[in-house]
Amino acid sequence: MKKLVVDVLEKALKKKGIKISREEIEEKIGIPPSQDMGDYSFPCFFLAEQLKDNPHQIAMELRDSIKTPKATDFDDIQTVGPYINFFIDRKNLARKVVWETISQKKTYGAEKIGKGKKLIIEFSSPNIAKPFGIGHLRGTIIGNSIANVAEFLGYKVVRINYLGDWGSQFGKVLFGYDKFGNEKKFLKNPIEHLYEVYVKVNKKIYEKKSSEWFKRLEDQDKSALMLWKAFRDSSIEAFEKIYKDLGVSFDEYSGESESVKRVNETMDELAKKKLIKKSKGALIVDLTKYGLDVCMMVKTDLGTTYALRDLSEAIQRYKKYKFDTMIYEVGQEQTLYFKQVFKILELMGYSWAKDCLHNDHGFYLNTKGKKFSTRKGQTVFMKDILEETKNLARKEIQKRGEKLKKEEIEKRALNVAVAAIFYGDLKNYRRSNIVFDIKKFVSFEGDTGPYILYSYARASSIIRKAKKQGEKFEITELNEHELDLVKRIYQFEETVVKAFKSLAPSMIATYSYELAKSFNEFYHSSPVIGSDEEPFRMALVEAFRITLRNSLNLLGIKAIEEM
Protein backbone atom coordinates (compact mmCIF):
# COMPACT_ATOMS: atom_id res chain seq x y z
CA MET A 1 0.00 0.00 0.00
CA LYS A 2 2.97 2.32 0.38
CA LYS A 3 3.17 2.35 -3.41
CA LEU A 4 -0.31 3.90 -3.53
CA VAL A 5 0.92 6.72 -1.30
CA VAL A 6 3.93 7.23 -3.57
CA ASP A 7 1.63 7.28 -6.62
CA VAL A 8 -0.66 10.04 -5.34
CA LEU A 9 2.26 12.10 -3.99
CA GLU A 10 4.18 11.79 -7.26
CA LYS A 11 1.23 13.20 -9.20
CA ALA A 12 0.61 16.00 -6.68
CA LEU A 13 4.28 17.05 -6.59
CA LYS A 14 4.43 17.02 -10.39
CA LYS A 15 1.45 19.43 -10.51
CA LYS A 16 3.41 21.78 -8.24
CA GLY A 17 6.39 21.60 -10.62
CA ILE A 18 8.58 19.79 -8.09
CA LYS A 19 11.10 17.40 -9.61
CA ILE A 20 11.62 14.47 -7.28
CA SER A 21 12.11 10.76 -8.02
CA ARG A 22 9.87 7.97 -6.72
CA GLU A 23 12.80 6.67 -4.71
CA GLU A 24 13.20 10.03 -2.94
CA ILE A 25 9.48 10.22 -2.22
CA GLU A 26 9.55 6.70 -0.79
CA GLU A 27 12.51 7.56 1.45
CA LYS A 28 10.64 10.57 2.88
CA ILE A 29 7.48 8.62 3.73
CA GLY A 30 7.34 7.51 7.36
CA ILE A 31 5.03 5.64 9.71
CA PRO A 32 3.34 7.84 12.36
CA PRO A 33 3.94 6.96 16.03
CA SER A 34 0.22 6.29 16.58
CA GLN A 35 -2.44 4.58 14.43
CA ASP A 36 -4.73 7.56 15.20
CA MET A 37 -2.37 9.67 13.08
CA GLY A 38 -2.69 7.43 10.04
CA ASP A 39 -0.72 4.65 8.40
CA TYR A 40 1.82 6.75 6.49
CA SER A 41 2.96 10.36 6.70
CA PHE A 42 4.83 12.66 4.32
CA PRO A 43 6.79 15.62 5.76
CA CYS A 44 6.94 18.88 3.79
CA PHE A 45 9.83 20.63 5.60
CA PHE A 46 12.32 19.92 2.82
CA LEU A 47 10.09 21.70 0.24
CA ALA A 48 9.96 25.02 2.12
CA GLU A 49 13.11 26.54 0.63
CA GLN A 50 12.32 25.46 -2.93
CA LEU A 51 8.70 26.72 -2.84
CA LYS A 52 9.42 29.77 -0.66
CA ASP A 53 6.49 28.94 1.62
CA ASN A 54 5.93 27.50 5.08
CA PRO A 55 5.68 23.67 5.35
CA HIS A 56 2.12 23.74 6.75
CA GLN A 57 0.83 25.72 3.76
CA ILE A 58 2.69 23.40 1.35
CA ALA A 59 1.11 20.34 3.03
CA MET A 60 -2.40 21.79 2.64
CA GLU A 61 -1.84 22.71 -1.02
CA LEU A 62 -0.48 19.25 -1.83
CA ARG A 63 -3.44 17.67 -0.05
CA ASP A 64 -5.83 19.80 -2.14
CA SER A 65 -4.14 18.75 -5.37
CA ILE A 66 -4.48 15.05 -4.43
CA LYS A 67 -8.28 15.53 -4.39
CA THR A 68 -10.32 12.38 -3.72
CA PRO A 69 -8.46 9.09 -4.32
CA LYS A 70 -10.19 5.73 -4.76
CA ALA A 71 -12.36 4.84 -1.78
CA THR A 72 -10.95 1.30 -1.87
CA ASP A 73 -7.45 2.68 -1.29
CA PHE A 74 -7.79 5.34 1.41
CA ASP A 75 -10.24 6.05 4.22
CA ASP A 76 -8.91 9.58 4.57
CA ILE A 77 -5.98 11.92 3.86
CA GLN A 78 -5.38 14.68 6.40
CA THR A 79 -2.85 17.42 7.10
CA VAL A 80 -1.41 17.99 10.56
CA GLY A 81 1.02 20.89 10.59
CA PRO A 82 3.73 20.17 8.00
CA TYR A 83 2.65 16.52 7.54
CA ILE A 84 0.26 14.84 5.14
CA ASN A 85 -1.18 11.78 6.87
CA PHE A 86 -2.63 8.90 4.88
CA PHE A 87 -5.25 6.55 6.33
CA ILE A 88 -5.33 3.33 4.32
CA ASP A 89 -8.66 1.50 3.83
CA ARG A 90 -7.79 -1.10 6.43
CA LYS A 91 -10.36 -3.74 5.55
CA ASN A 92 -9.25 -3.66 1.94
CA LEU A 93 -5.60 -3.80 3.04
CA ALA A 94 -6.28 -6.85 5.25
CA ARG A 95 -8.22 -8.63 2.50
CA LYS A 96 -5.54 -7.93 -0.10
CA VAL A 97 -2.56 -8.85 2.12
CA VAL A 98 -4.06 -12.10 3.42
CA TRP A 99 -5.15 -13.38 0.02
CA GLU A 100 -1.89 -12.40 -1.69
CA THR A 101 0.11 -14.19 0.99
CA ILE A 102 -1.97 -17.36 0.87
CA SER A 103 -2.05 -17.48 -2.94
CA GLN A 104 1.65 -16.71 -3.47
CA LYS A 105 2.96 -18.89 -0.61
CA LYS A 106 6.74 -19.45 -1.13
CA THR A 107 7.03 -16.46 -3.44
CA TYR A 108 5.22 -13.98 -1.18
CA GLY A 109 7.47 -10.95 -0.74
CA ALA A 110 9.73 -11.81 -3.66
CA GLU A 111 10.03 -8.68 -5.78
CA LYS A 112 12.08 -9.96 -8.75
CA ILE A 113 14.59 -7.11 -8.91
CA GLY A 114 17.38 -9.55 -9.82
CA LYS A 115 15.68 -11.22 -12.77
CA GLY A 116 18.20 -11.92 -15.55
CA LYS A 117 21.19 -11.00 -13.35
CA LYS A 118 23.97 -13.19 -11.99
CA LEU A 119 25.45 -12.75 -8.53
CA ILE A 120 28.53 -14.50 -7.18
CA ILE A 121 29.08 -14.64 -3.45
CA GLU A 122 32.20 -16.00 -1.79
CA PHE A 123 31.70 -16.90 1.86
CA SER A 124 32.77 -19.20 4.68
CA SER A 125 36.22 -20.00 3.21
CA PRO A 126 37.78 -21.92 6.12
CA ASN A 127 41.43 -22.94 6.16
CA ILE A 128 42.35 -26.53 5.51
CA ALA A 129 44.29 -28.46 8.15
CA LYS A 130 42.35 -26.62 10.87
CA PRO A 131 38.98 -27.48 12.43
CA PHE A 132 36.06 -25.33 11.30
CA GLY A 133 36.20 -22.75 14.04
CA ILE A 134 34.25 -19.80 15.29
CA GLY A 135 36.37 -17.42 13.21
CA HIS A 136 34.63 -18.50 9.99
CA LEU A 137 31.13 -18.87 11.42
CA ARG A 138 29.99 -15.24 11.00
CA GLY A 139 30.98 -15.17 7.33
CA THR A 140 29.18 -18.48 6.81
CA ILE A 141 25.93 -17.34 8.44
CA ILE A 142 25.83 -13.85 6.87
CA GLY A 143 26.98 -15.00 3.43
CA ASN A 144 24.44 -17.83 3.38
CA SER A 145 21.63 -15.40 4.23
CA ILE A 146 22.65 -12.87 1.56
CA ALA A 147 22.76 -15.68 -1.02
CA ASN A 148 19.26 -16.80 0.04
CA VAL A 149 17.89 -13.25 -0.20
CA ALA A 150 19.45 -12.64 -3.62
CA GLU A 151 18.00 -15.89 -4.95
CA PHE A 152 14.58 -15.00 -3.49
CA LEU A 153 14.73 -11.70 -5.38
CA GLY A 154 15.37 -13.41 -8.70
CA TYR A 155 19.16 -13.41 -9.03
CA LYS A 156 20.98 -16.42 -10.41
CA VAL A 157 23.28 -17.01 -7.44
CA VAL A 158 26.58 -18.88 -7.42
CA ARG A 159 27.78 -19.73 -3.91
CA ILE A 160 31.54 -20.19 -3.76
CA ASN A 161 33.55 -21.61 -0.88
CA TYR A 162 37.08 -20.38 -1.56
CA LEU A 163 39.18 -22.52 0.72
CA GLY A 164 42.33 -21.28 2.37
CA ASP A 165 44.42 -24.13 1.01
CA TRP A 166 47.64 -22.37 0.02
CA GLY A 167 50.08 -19.88 1.44
CA SER A 168 52.85 -19.63 4.01
CA GLN A 169 50.75 -21.11 6.84
CA PHE A 170 50.83 -24.44 5.03
CA GLY A 171 54.58 -24.36 5.27
CA LYS A 172 54.01 -24.31 9.03
CA VAL A 173 51.55 -27.21 8.91
CA LEU A 174 53.82 -29.29 6.67
CA PHE A 175 56.96 -28.61 8.71
CA GLY A 176 54.97 -29.09 11.93
CA TYR A 177 53.70 -32.48 10.83
CA ASP A 178 57.20 -33.50 9.74
CA LYS A 179 58.56 -32.52 13.17
CA PHE A 180 55.69 -33.30 15.57
CA GLY A 181 53.24 -35.39 13.54
CA ASN A 182 51.98 -38.83 14.46
CA GLU A 183 50.48 -40.99 11.71
CA LYS A 184 48.21 -42.96 14.08
CA LYS A 185 46.80 -39.75 15.58
CA PHE A 186 46.32 -38.30 12.11
CA LEU A 187 44.42 -41.35 10.84
CA LYS A 188 42.23 -41.42 13.95
CA ASN A 189 41.41 -37.71 14.15
CA PRO A 190 43.14 -35.85 11.31
CA ILE A 191 41.96 -32.25 11.78
CA GLU A 192 42.37 -32.09 15.54
CA HIS A 193 45.88 -33.53 15.23
CA LEU A 194 46.87 -31.06 12.50
CA TYR A 195 45.60 -28.18 14.61
CA GLU A 196 47.61 -29.46 17.58
CA VAL A 197 50.69 -29.53 15.34
CA TYR A 198 49.96 -26.00 14.04
CA VAL A 199 49.79 -24.54 17.54
CA LYS A 200 53.12 -26.19 18.46
CA VAL A 201 54.97 -24.99 15.39
CA ASN A 202 53.63 -21.42 15.34
CA LYS A 203 56.78 -19.96 16.91
CA LYS A 204 59.44 -17.62 15.60
CA ILE A 205 62.20 -20.25 15.83
CA TYR A 206 60.38 -22.37 13.22
CA GLU A 207 59.68 -19.61 10.67
CA LYS A 208 62.67 -20.34 8.42
CA LYS A 209 61.97 -24.08 8.21
CA SER A 210 58.27 -23.39 7.62
CA SER A 211 59.11 -21.04 4.74
CA GLU A 212 61.34 -23.71 3.23
CA TRP A 213 58.48 -26.22 3.32
CA PHE A 214 56.11 -23.81 1.63
CA LYS A 215 58.70 -23.16 -1.07
CA ARG A 216 58.87 -26.92 -1.60
CA LEU A 217 55.11 -26.94 -2.01
CA GLU A 218 55.20 -24.12 -4.58
CA ASP A 219 57.98 -25.96 -6.42
CA GLN A 220 55.66 -29.00 -6.66
CA ASP A 221 57.81 -31.24 -4.44
CA LYS A 222 56.07 -34.65 -4.49
CA SER A 223 56.29 -35.43 -0.77
CA ALA A 224 55.04 -31.96 0.17
CA LEU A 225 52.18 -32.19 -2.34
CA MET A 226 51.20 -35.65 -1.13
CA LEU A 227 50.92 -34.49 2.49
CA TRP A 228 49.09 -31.29 1.44
CA LYS A 229 46.52 -33.28 -0.57
CA ALA A 230 45.86 -35.63 2.36
CA PHE A 231 45.36 -32.64 4.65
CA ARG A 232 43.03 -30.93 2.13
CA ASP A 233 40.86 -34.02 1.53
CA SER A 234 40.47 -34.69 5.26
CA SER A 235 39.55 -31.06 5.88
CA ILE A 236 36.87 -30.89 3.19
CA GLU A 237 35.31 -34.12 4.48
CA ALA A 238 35.12 -32.64 7.99
CA PHE A 239 33.76 -29.29 6.71
CA GLU A 240 30.99 -30.95 4.71
CA LYS A 241 29.67 -32.67 7.83
CA ILE A 242 29.37 -29.28 9.54
CA TYR A 243 27.72 -27.64 6.52
CA LYS A 244 25.17 -30.45 6.34
CA ASP A 245 24.13 -29.87 9.95
CA LEU A 246 23.97 -26.11 9.37
CA GLY A 247 21.92 -26.51 6.19
CA VAL A 248 24.48 -24.55 4.16
CA SER A 249 25.45 -25.57 0.63
CA PHE A 250 27.78 -24.36 -2.10
CA ASP A 251 27.75 -24.44 -5.88
CA GLU A 252 31.50 -24.48 -6.12
CA TYR A 253 34.45 -25.39 -3.92
CA SER A 254 37.64 -23.74 -5.10
CA GLY A 255 40.77 -22.53 -3.39
CA GLU A 256 44.01 -20.65 -3.58
CA SER A 257 45.72 -23.79 -4.84
CA GLU A 258 43.75 -23.42 -8.10
CA SER A 259 44.43 -19.69 -8.39
CA VAL A 260 48.17 -20.18 -7.96
CA LYS A 261 48.24 -21.99 -11.31
CA ARG A 262 47.28 -18.72 -13.04
CA VAL A 263 49.52 -16.27 -11.19
CA ASN A 264 52.23 -16.18 -13.88
CA GLU A 265 49.64 -15.09 -16.44
CA THR A 266 48.41 -12.39 -14.07
CA MET A 267 51.96 -11.20 -13.35
CA ASP A 268 52.62 -10.92 -17.10
CA GLU A 269 49.49 -8.80 -17.48
CA LEU A 270 50.47 -6.55 -14.56
CA ALA A 271 53.93 -6.12 -16.06
CA LYS A 272 52.59 -5.27 -19.54
CA LYS A 273 50.38 -2.59 -18.01
CA LYS A 274 53.40 -1.25 -16.11
CA LEU A 275 51.83 -1.75 -12.69
CA ILE A 276 54.65 -3.85 -11.17
CA LYS A 277 57.57 -2.32 -9.27
CA LYS A 278 60.53 -3.81 -7.39
CA SER A 279 60.84 -2.91 -3.73
CA LYS A 280 63.47 -4.37 -1.38
CA GLY A 281 63.60 -7.63 -3.31
CA ALA A 282 59.80 -7.98 -3.55
CA LEU A 283 57.40 -7.16 -6.41
CA ILE A 284 54.63 -4.70 -5.58
CA VAL A 285 51.86 -2.56 -7.01
CA ASP A 286 52.22 0.98 -5.65
CA LEU A 287 48.81 2.41 -4.73
CA THR A 288 50.03 5.24 -2.48
CA LYS A 289 48.71 7.97 -4.77
CA TYR A 290 45.23 6.50 -4.24
CA GLY A 291 45.71 6.45 -0.47
CA LEU A 292 45.90 2.65 -0.47
CA ASP A 293 49.59 2.05 0.39
CA VAL A 294 51.48 -0.66 -1.53
CA CYS A 295 50.20 -4.14 -2.31
CA MET A 296 52.76 -6.96 -2.50
CA MET A 297 52.47 -9.50 -5.32
CA VAL A 298 55.62 -11.59 -4.87
CA LYS A 299 57.62 -11.82 -1.65
CA THR A 300 61.40 -11.63 -1.30
CA ASP A 301 61.58 -15.44 -1.15
CA LEU A 302 59.65 -15.52 -4.48
CA GLY A 303 56.52 -16.87 -2.79
CA THR A 304 53.20 -15.56 -4.16
CA THR A 305 50.78 -13.54 -2.03
CA TYR A 306 47.06 -13.67 -1.28
CA ALA A 307 46.57 -10.55 -3.40
CA LEU A 308 48.12 -12.03 -6.53
CA ARG A 309 46.09 -15.20 -6.11
CA ASP A 310 42.87 -13.23 -5.49
CA LEU A 311 43.46 -11.12 -8.61
CA SER A 312 43.92 -14.30 -10.66
CA GLU A 313 40.79 -15.85 -9.17
CA ALA A 314 38.64 -12.75 -9.79
CA ILE A 315 39.67 -12.61 -13.45
CA GLN A 316 38.94 -16.30 -13.87
CA ARG A 317 35.51 -15.95 -12.23
CA TYR A 318 34.47 -13.18 -14.58
CA LYS A 319 35.61 -15.22 -17.59
CA LYS A 320 33.61 -18.20 -16.32
CA TYR A 321 30.42 -16.55 -15.03
CA LYS A 322 30.15 -13.02 -16.55
CA PHE A 323 28.65 -11.92 -13.24
CA ASP A 324 26.73 -8.69 -12.63
CA THR A 325 27.85 -8.53 -9.00
CA MET A 326 30.48 -10.37 -6.97
CA ILE A 327 30.39 -10.18 -3.17
CA TYR A 328 33.18 -11.17 -0.81
CA GLU A 329 31.75 -11.86 2.66
CA VAL A 330 34.93 -11.43 4.71
CA GLY A 331 35.78 -9.82 8.08
CA GLN A 332 36.29 -6.09 8.44
CA GLU A 333 40.02 -6.46 9.09
CA GLN A 334 40.39 -7.05 5.33
CA THR A 335 38.79 -3.73 4.28
CA LEU A 336 42.00 -2.08 3.04
CA TYR A 337 43.11 -5.29 1.35
CA PHE A 338 39.96 -5.56 -0.76
CA LYS A 339 40.13 -1.89 -1.70
CA GLN A 340 43.63 -2.64 -3.00
CA VAL A 341 42.52 -5.70 -4.98
CA PHE A 342 39.53 -3.89 -6.57
CA LYS A 343 41.71 -0.86 -7.42
CA ILE A 344 44.32 -3.05 -9.11
CA LEU A 345 41.59 -4.77 -11.16
CA GLU A 346 40.37 -1.32 -12.21
CA LEU A 347 43.91 -0.24 -13.16
CA MET A 348 44.24 -3.43 -15.20
CA GLY A 349 41.31 -2.17 -17.27
CA TYR A 350 38.54 -4.43 -16.01
CA SER A 351 35.33 -2.39 -16.03
CA TRP A 352 33.59 -5.03 -13.89
CA ALA A 353 35.89 -4.15 -10.94
CA LYS A 354 33.20 -1.66 -9.86
CA ASP A 355 30.80 -4.61 -9.48
CA CYS A 356 33.02 -6.30 -6.87
CA LEU A 357 31.98 -5.66 -3.27
CA HIS A 358 33.54 -6.45 0.08
CA ASN A 359 30.73 -7.00 2.60
CA ASP A 360 32.61 -6.71 5.87
CA HIS A 361 31.55 -8.04 9.25
CA GLY A 362 32.72 -7.80 12.85
CA PHE A 363 34.12 -10.46 15.16
CA TYR A 364 32.87 -12.89 17.72
CA LEU A 365 34.33 -12.05 21.11
CA ASN A 366 34.74 -14.30 24.12
CA THR A 367 33.03 -13.50 27.44
CA LYS A 368 36.02 -11.30 28.35
CA GLY A 369 35.46 -9.20 25.24
CA LYS A 370 38.57 -10.53 23.48
CA LYS A 371 38.94 -12.03 19.99
CA PHE A 372 39.38 -15.78 19.69
CA SER A 373 42.86 -16.71 18.45
CA THR A 374 43.70 -19.85 16.45
CA ARG A 375 47.44 -19.25 16.77
CA LYS A 376 47.33 -19.42 20.55
CA GLY A 377 44.95 -22.37 20.57
CA GLN A 378 42.11 -20.26 21.98
CA THR A 379 39.53 -20.83 19.26
CA VAL A 380 36.20 -22.61 19.64
CA PHE A 381 35.33 -25.38 17.20
CA MET A 382 32.05 -25.49 15.33
CA LYS A 383 31.33 -29.13 16.14
CA ASP A 384 31.65 -28.32 19.85
CA ILE A 385 29.41 -25.27 19.49
CA LEU A 386 26.75 -27.34 17.76
CA GLU A 387 26.92 -30.12 20.32
CA GLU A 388 26.66 -27.72 23.26
CA THR A 389 23.74 -25.86 21.67
CA LYS A 390 21.94 -29.11 20.82
CA ASN A 391 22.32 -30.26 24.44
CA LEU A 392 20.72 -27.05 25.72
CA ALA A 393 17.94 -27.27 23.12
CA ARG A 394 17.33 -30.94 23.93
CA LYS A 395 16.84 -30.10 27.63
CA GLU A 396 14.35 -27.35 26.77
CA ILE A 397 12.38 -29.69 24.47
CA GLN A 398 12.28 -32.45 27.11
CA LYS A 399 11.06 -29.96 29.74
CA ARG A 400 7.81 -29.64 27.83
CA GLY A 401 6.85 -33.20 28.81
CA GLU A 402 5.83 -34.40 25.36
CA LYS A 403 6.69 -38.06 24.73
CA LEU A 404 8.85 -38.15 21.61
CA LYS A 405 11.07 -40.72 19.96
CA LYS A 406 14.78 -40.15 20.34
CA GLU A 407 15.17 -39.48 16.60
CA GLU A 408 12.49 -36.77 16.71
CA ILE A 409 14.08 -35.13 19.76
CA GLU A 410 17.46 -35.06 18.00
CA LYS A 411 15.93 -33.63 14.83
CA ARG A 412 14.15 -30.85 16.71
CA ALA A 413 17.21 -30.17 18.88
CA LEU A 414 19.36 -29.64 15.78
CA ASN A 415 16.77 -27.31 14.21
CA VAL A 416 16.49 -25.28 17.41
CA ALA A 417 20.30 -25.19 17.79
CA VAL A 418 20.81 -23.86 14.25
CA ALA A 419 18.02 -21.31 14.76
CA ALA A 420 19.63 -20.19 18.02
CA ILE A 421 23.10 -19.77 16.50
CA PHE A 422 21.99 -18.19 13.22
CA TYR A 423 19.49 -15.79 14.73
CA GLY A 424 21.83 -14.97 17.63
CA ASP A 425 24.24 -13.69 14.99
CA LEU A 426 21.92 -12.20 12.38
CA LYS A 427 19.87 -10.05 14.74
CA ASN A 428 23.01 -7.93 15.11
CA TYR A 429 24.20 -5.50 12.44
CA ARG A 430 26.94 -7.28 10.54
CA ARG A 431 29.66 -4.73 11.36
CA SER A 432 29.09 -5.03 15.11
CA ASN A 433 31.24 -7.32 17.22
CA ILE A 434 29.28 -9.95 19.17
CA VAL A 435 29.95 -11.63 22.50
CA PHE A 436 29.33 -15.29 21.70
CA ASP A 437 26.95 -16.54 24.42
CA ILE A 438 25.20 -19.81 23.59
CA LYS A 439 23.04 -19.82 26.73
CA LYS A 440 21.48 -16.49 25.73
CA PHE A 441 21.10 -17.57 22.10
CA VAL A 442 19.17 -20.74 22.99
CA SER A 443 16.61 -19.17 25.36
CA PHE A 444 12.98 -19.83 24.42
CA GLU A 445 12.00 -16.36 25.66
CA GLY A 446 12.77 -12.89 24.36
CA ASP A 447 14.58 -11.87 21.18
CA THR A 448 15.92 -15.31 20.20
CA GLY A 449 15.68 -17.87 17.41
CA PRO A 450 13.87 -20.47 19.57
CA TYR A 451 11.23 -17.87 20.55
CA ILE A 452 10.51 -17.22 16.87
CA LEU A 453 10.35 -20.95 16.10
CA TYR A 454 7.96 -21.41 19.00
CA SER A 455 5.70 -18.67 17.58
CA TYR A 456 5.57 -20.49 14.26
CA ALA A 457 4.82 -23.81 15.99
CA ARG A 458 2.02 -22.14 18.00
CA ALA A 459 0.42 -20.88 14.76
CA SER A 460 0.79 -24.33 13.21
CA SER A 461 -1.03 -25.84 16.19
CA ILE A 462 -4.00 -23.53 15.57
CA ILE A 463 -4.13 -24.60 11.92
CA ARG A 464 -4.03 -28.31 12.88
CA LYS A 465 -6.86 -27.94 15.39
CA ALA A 466 -9.19 -25.85 13.24
CA LYS A 467 -12.13 -27.45 11.44
CA LYS A 468 -12.87 -24.43 9.23
CA GLN A 469 -9.98 -24.04 6.84
CA GLY A 470 -9.91 -22.32 3.47
CA GLU A 471 -13.37 -20.80 3.90
CA LYS A 472 -14.25 -17.46 2.34
CA PHE A 473 -14.17 -14.74 4.93
CA GLU A 474 -15.75 -11.38 5.56
CA ILE A 475 -14.09 -8.65 7.60
CA THR A 476 -16.57 -6.88 9.81
CA GLU A 477 -14.07 -4.86 11.78
CA LEU A 478 -10.34 -5.07 12.57
CA ASN A 479 -9.11 -4.83 16.12
CA GLU A 480 -5.74 -3.20 16.77
CA HIS A 481 -3.86 -6.53 17.05
CA GLU A 482 -5.31 -7.88 13.80
CA LEU A 483 -4.42 -4.65 12.04
CA ASP A 484 -0.90 -4.63 13.44
CA LEU A 485 -0.32 -8.22 12.25
CA VAL A 486 -1.68 -7.39 8.77
CA LYS A 487 0.67 -4.40 8.54
CA ARG A 488 3.64 -6.48 9.67
CA ILE A 489 2.94 -9.09 7.00
CA TYR A 490 2.59 -6.35 4.40
CA GLN A 491 6.01 -4.90 5.30
CA PHE A 492 7.82 -8.12 4.40
CA GLU A 493 8.57 -7.34 0.75
CA GLU A 494 9.87 -3.86 1.51
CA THR A 495 12.05 -5.25 4.32
CA VAL A 496 13.59 -7.91 2.08
CA VAL A 497 14.48 -5.41 -0.66
CA LYS A 498 16.00 -2.98 1.86
CA ALA A 499 17.99 -5.77 3.50
CA PHE A 500 19.42 -6.83 0.15
CA LYS A 501 20.32 -3.31 -0.96
CA SER A 502 22.13 -2.80 2.36
CA LEU A 503 23.52 -6.36 2.40
CA ALA A 504 22.23 -6.46 5.98
CA PRO A 505 20.29 -9.63 6.91
CA SER A 506 19.85 -8.12 10.38
CA MET A 507 16.87 -6.20 8.94
CA ILE A 508 15.13 -9.49 8.14
CA ALA A 509 16.06 -10.95 11.53
CA THR A 510 14.59 -7.93 13.32
CA TYR A 511 11.51 -8.13 11.12
CA SER A 512 11.07 -11.85 11.97
CA TYR A 513 11.11 -11.09 15.69
CA GLU A 514 8.69 -8.16 15.36
CA LEU A 515 6.37 -10.31 13.22
CA ALA A 516 6.45 -13.14 15.80
CA LYS A 517 5.83 -10.67 18.62
CA SER A 518 2.88 -9.16 16.74
CA PHE A 519 1.41 -12.62 16.22
CA ASN A 520 1.74 -13.50 19.89
CA GLU A 521 -0.05 -10.29 20.90
CA PHE A 522 -2.81 -11.16 18.42
CA TYR A 523 -2.94 -14.75 19.74
CA HIS A 524 -3.41 -13.64 23.36
CA SER A 525 -6.06 -11.02 22.57
CA SER A 526 -8.04 -12.52 19.68
CA PRO A 527 -9.44 -16.09 19.97
CA VAL A 528 -9.39 -17.88 16.64
CA ILE A 529 -11.17 -21.23 16.90
CA GLY A 530 -14.84 -20.85 17.74
CA SER A 531 -14.92 -17.07 17.37
CA ASP A 532 -17.34 -15.22 15.08
CA GLU A 533 -14.32 -14.11 13.02
CA GLU A 534 -12.83 -17.62 12.76
CA PRO A 535 -12.64 -17.78 8.91
CA PHE A 536 -10.75 -14.46 8.67
CA ARG A 537 -8.55 -15.12 11.67
CA MET A 538 -7.67 -18.58 10.40
CA ALA A 539 -6.63 -17.02 7.09
CA LEU A 540 -4.61 -14.39 8.97
CA VAL A 541 -2.82 -17.10 10.98
CA GLU A 542 -1.97 -18.95 7.77
CA ALA A 543 -0.71 -15.71 6.17
CA PHE A 544 1.50 -15.20 9.24
CA ARG A 545 2.89 -18.74 8.98
CA ILE A 546 3.75 -18.31 5.29
CA THR A 547 5.43 -14.95 5.85
CA LEU A 548 7.43 -16.05 8.89
CA ARG A 549 8.49 -19.26 7.14
CA ASN A 550 9.69 -17.27 4.12
CA SER A 551 11.50 -14.84 6.39
CA LEU A 552 13.23 -17.60 8.36
CA ASN A 553 14.24 -19.36 5.14
CA LEU A 554 16.08 -16.21 4.10
CA LEU A 555 18.02 -16.33 7.37
CA GLY A 556 18.92 -19.98 6.78
CA ILE A 557 16.57 -21.17 9.54
CA LYS A 558 14.10 -24.01 9.01
CA ALA A 559 10.66 -23.46 10.56
CA ILE A 560 9.32 -26.50 12.45
CA GLU A 561 5.68 -27.43 13.00
CA GLU A 562 6.09 -28.59 16.60
CA MET A 563 8.55 -27.68 19.32
Side-chain angles (χ1 to χ4, degrees), residues 239-255:
F239 296 155
E240 285 181 335
K241 289 177 183 176
I242 297 292
Y243 291 131
K244 184 179 179 183
D245 282 343
L246 295 178
V248 174
S249 61
F250 297 91
D251 301 295
E252 178 184 306
Y253 278 87
S254 61

Side-chain angles (χ1 to χ4, degrees), residues 13-47:
L13 289 163
K14 192 174 182 181
K15 284 180 186 177
K16 294 284 289 181
I18 299 166
K19 291 183 179 179
I20 181 171
S21 69
R22 286 183 65 86
E23 289 75 19
E24 289 176 288
I25 295 170
E26 191 170 347
E27 283 178 12
K28 298 287 184 186
I29 294 170
I31 297 174
S34 167
Q35 289 185 8
D36 296 336
M37 299 169 69
D39 300 294
Y40 295 101
S41 67
F42 182 75
C44 298
F45 299 105
F46 75 103
L47 298 170

Side-chain angles (χ1 to χ4, degrees), residues 360-377:
D360 57 318
H361 57 259
F363 305 107
Y364 283 132
L365 306 177
N366 62 27
T367 50
K368 295 179 181 178
K370 302 291 185 182
K371 281 176 61 179
F372 295 95
S373 172
T374 56
R375 292 180 181 180
K376 295 178 182 178

